[in-house]
Amino acid sequence: MKRLEGKIAVVTGGGTRGIGRATAARLVAEGAHVFITGRRKTELDEAVEAIGPGVRAVPGDITDPADLDRLYDTVRDHGQGLDILFANAATASFATIEQITEEELDRIFGVNVKGTLFTVQKALPLLNHGASVILNASTTLDRGTSAFGAYAASKAAVRSFARTWANELKGRGIRVNAISPGPIDTSGVTELVGEENSAAFKASEGARVAMGRVGRPEEVAATVAFLASADSSYIMGSNLYVDGGENQI
């Protein structure tokens, strides 16, 4: 029997070629039925085609409460509740304290903080006893990376959510944990720095990591699958680093 056989999962940001899609594929391979959501229908369709049976796409934006309601109405109609929630969707940009605008700050916190909060809040009625909620934080919350202050602050809030929500939901047997990926080779990184700078940026980031390379989305997905499973039954409120030793050595 597969480790997640019969489990129902939701992965936000599941269409992009990165952590979300890799995690959806891993959860399906482990036996789960996975609902993915994201703003780009084309990418969601590509993810469904790539992953195959066991995944269903529900287009939507986590900053739009109506889209979240539609997502969870679809899960509810499936009739088995929800066992795994990976709140993965996020956004980022580079801006120093002198450069950051109110609009950009609102956008980053709107997706990474507000969007994450309501992604979990609106899932609460569906979460089964013993469910696992995994939040996507970041190693940047521990470092003073120049021009990444707003993003890092938003991820520090996500890390704090994991502690608070773990305490609030423990009575229902729900475990809440966070992961903090280091530099990972995703399409989001390319969008952030530009296609022409992508290779050099990843090489530079990899050189800082103890293992000497950037990570693969599948390596993060394996950690999420572990936290989603009974193998992590005594882990709650934690933040697991998936960073090649970047923040540990």
Side-chain angles (χ1 to χ4, degrees):
M1 183 175 178
K2 296 179 179 179
R3 186 166 58 165
L4 300 176
E5 192 73 41
K7 300 294 186 181
I8 306 301
V10 164
V11 176
T12 65
T16 57
R17 298 179 188 89
I19 293 170
R21 185 185 296 192
T23 299
R26 178 60 181 261
L27 297 181
V28 168
E30 297 264 11
H33 183 86
V34 181
F35 294 86
I36 59 173
T37 190
R39 293 180 294 112
R40 300 168 181 169
K41 186 178 183 301
T42 300
E43 291 185 349
L44 290 173
D45 291 343
E46 290 174 357
V48 170
E49 183 176 358
I51 296 169
V55 65
R56 179 175 178 182
V58 184
D61 186 336
I62 65 167
T63 66
D64 186 336
D67 283 358
L68 286 173
D69 288 338
R70 186 160 47 82
L71 167 65
Y72 291 126
D73 283 345
T74 305
V75 177
R76 184 178 292 106
D77 289 345
H78 192 72
Q80 294 178 247
L82 183 60
D83 303 294
I84 301 157
L85 172 57
F86 180 33
N88 166 68
T91 190
S93 66
F94 288 114
T96 65
I97 189 171
E98 294 92 354
Q99 296 167 338
I100 191 73
T101 63
E102 182 178 5
E103 180 182 29
E104 187 64 6
L105 185 67
D106 287 345
R107 186 182 71 85
I108 291 171
F109 272 72
V111 175
N112 299 356
V113 180
K114 181 180 176 181
T116 296
L117 189 155
F118 287 109
T119 293
V120 177
Q121 184 195 76
K122 287 179 174 290
L124 293 179
L126 287 170
L127 289 172
N128 295 322
H129 184 86
S132 177
V133 176
I134 303 110
L135 311 180
N136 194 356
S138 170
T139 57
T140 59
L141 64 89
D142 295 317
R143 305 194 319 271
T145 304
S146 295
F148 230 31
Y151 175 77
S154 72
K155 290 299 188 176
V158 170
R159 171 64 185 108
S160 181
F161 282 159
R163 290 191 176 100
T164 305
W165 297 344
N167 197 38
E168 292 177 351
L169 299 176
K170 63 186 179 185
R172 292 178 54 184
I174 296 170
R175 294 182 300 110
V176 183
N177 292 286
I179 59 166
S180 277
I184 308 296
D185 188 0
T186 69
S187 60
V189 171
T190 301
E191 290 179 8
L192 181 64
V193 302
E195 183 72 43
E196 68 281 7
N197 302 314
S198 179
F201 181 80
K202 291 172 185 176
S204 174
E205 288 292 291
R208 295 192 298 102
V209 174
M211 292 182 69
R213 63 174 177 84
V214 297
R216 301 187 304 274
E218 293 76 14
E219 292 173 309
V220 181
T223 304
V224 176
F226 165 69
L227 288 173
S229 76
D231 290 344
S232 61
S233 59
Y234 202 54
I235 300 177
M236 185 167 71
S238 70
N239 180 33
L240 296 191
Y241 287 85
V242 193
D243 66 351
E246 177 190 26
N247 279 33
Q248 315 307 316
I249 299 173

